[in-house]
Amino acid sequence: MSRIRIDAVLVQAVIAGALSFAHLHDLAEAAGQDGWKAWAYPVSVDLLLVAAWRRMRTTADNRAAWAWFVIALAASLGANVATAGLLDLDDVPAWLRILVAGWPALAFLGGTLLVHSPQAAPTEPDPASAAAAPVAPAPEPVPDVTVERTPEPIPELPPAPAAEVAPVPAPAAAPPTAVPPALLDHARKLADTHHATTGARIDSATLRARLGVPAPLADAITAQLA
């Protein structure tokens, strides 16, 4: 069984509370509050002190708690000083009787304000920011492709005879355009995506717009994808 440890501070607090309780009772009884009413005054003062002290420990903005704590402390100290022989308890002045009679209403107001303190209403989120518009996916980047075309050789024409007019030769057929493998792989991915989306094969004009290449190169790529 654990032994009860007697704390000197606790004993001092009990003695001080008992003396203050008795002084408040004597002052209330001298001011015309007899019977149980005289005993209720010290309880009212101590409860207001406790409520103000708890508010000061739990709330950052404790200016109101300090104000009510000072009021309750002044009532307790006033009763201690008044019953120390500085006031004739057989002939209590009228202003003190008024203070004692009005104390219950004042204590009730202070306790209510301390316990039921107003709280800030929670801010509602902005509906515009809550329902944010969906972000469109970024388009697939097209790699930079540089197409170099080999210059076509100019055929040499035989010298025409002086009396006859040389026939105009037919234009030579252009060699097939070479398609880089990287560009062909990228074009194949675009063609597969187009076919999966639309259900049709991609044409040369669409492929040219997607790749940004000249028409002959787009035709050559379309021919290789067929």
Side-chain angles (χ1 to χ4, degrees):
M1 181 177 179
S2 59
R3 301 177 59 182
I4 300 176
R5 180 181 177 183
I6 300 177
D7 191 354
V9 178
L10 180 61
V11 174
Q12 181 67 22
V14 172
I15 294 174
L19 292 175
S20 179
F21 197 92
H23 292 162
L24 285 168
H25 168 267
D26 295 343
L27 183 62
E29 190 176 32
Q33 308 295 328
D34 54 352
W36 67 269
K37 293 182 290 184
W39 291 106
Y41 275 86
V43 177
S44 176
V45 174
D46 292 341
L47 287 180
L48 185 59
L49 279 172
V50 172
W53 176 249
R54 291 188 60 184
R55 176 70 182 275
M56 286 189 296
R57 290 176 58 88
T58 58
T59 309
D61 186 11
N62 52 16
R63 289 175 295 180
W66 269 107
W68 289 108
F69 184 81
V70 170
I71 292 174
L73 186 62
S76 179
L77 291 177
N80 295 336
V81 174
T83 55
L86 300 180
L87 180 67
D88 186 5
L89 298 180
D90 295 331
D91 187 13
V92 178
W95 62 267
L96 184 57
R97 293 177 181 270
I98 295 175
L99 289 178
V100 173
W103 172 257
L106 182 63
F108 177 76
L109 176 62
T112 303
L113 293 178
L114 290 173
V115 175
H116 303 284
S117 58
Q119 297 181 356
T123 57
E124 298 181 356
D126 189 6
S129 61
V135 180
E140 185 177 357
V142 179
D144 297 335
V145 179
T146 304
V147 180
E148 297 181 359
R149 300 187 63 181
T150 306
E152 301 175 359
I154 302 175
E156 298 181 0
L157 300 177
E164 298 180 1
V165 178
V168 179
T177 306
V179 181
L183 180 60
L184 184 60
D185 293 340
H186 181 65
R188 186 173 287 106
K189 293 179 181 179
L190 293 178
D192 295 340
T193 303
H194 181 80
H195 184 270
T197 304
T198 62
R201 299 180 61 182
I202 192 169
D203 54 352
S204 178
T206 306
L207 189 60
R208 177 187 177 188
R210 295 285 184 87
L211 295 177
V213 297
L217 184 58
D219 295 338
I221 296 174
T222 306
Q224 295 189 27
L225 292 178

